[in-house]
Amino acid sequence: MRAFLALSLPNFVTETLSALASKLPVGRLVPPDNMHLTLTFLGEVSDTTLEAAHEAMETVHAPPFELQLHGFGTLGGHVPKI
């Protein structure tokens, strides 16, 4: 399974991003419930490894922090797809 480590985003952020994305001429719309901030891509991992990573992440506790988003871009060269 291809896996990644990500943080959920507040609803007002996903709603704003969704509204902006709907105006872009490239890519496909992602439902706001699927939006997240990817911290790292884990790649192909086994179910055992994924479960171990999930259990390890449940032990991580961090204080809330402020995140500011400034702009966005596209990927895919001259014919962007994302």
Side-chain angles (χ1 to χ4, degrees):
M1 174 184 299
R2 291 172 45 125
F4 56 91
L5 180 62
L7 296 176
S8 299
L9 297 169
N11 287 341
F12 76 91
V13 172
T14 59
E15 290 168 4
T16 301
L17 291 174
S18 184
L20 288 171
S22 70
K23 297 175 184 174
L24 295 176
V26 299
R28 61 179 170 79
L29 292 178
V30 174
D33 288 346
N34 289 354
M35 292 183 179
H36 57 270
L37 176 62
T38 300
L39 299 177
T40 189
F41 182 65
L42 302 174
E44 291 287 333
V45 296
S46 68
D47 289 345
T48 303
T49 300
L50 187 58
E51 183 60 31
H54 183 261
E55 289 174 6
M57 291 309 300
E58 286 184 323
T59 68
V60 175
H61 299 283
F65 60 92
E66 184 175 312
L67 176 68
Q68 295 182 3
L69 304 175
H70 295 279
F72 54 90
T74 59
L75 300 173
H78 296 292
V79 183
K81 296 180 182 179
I82 298 174

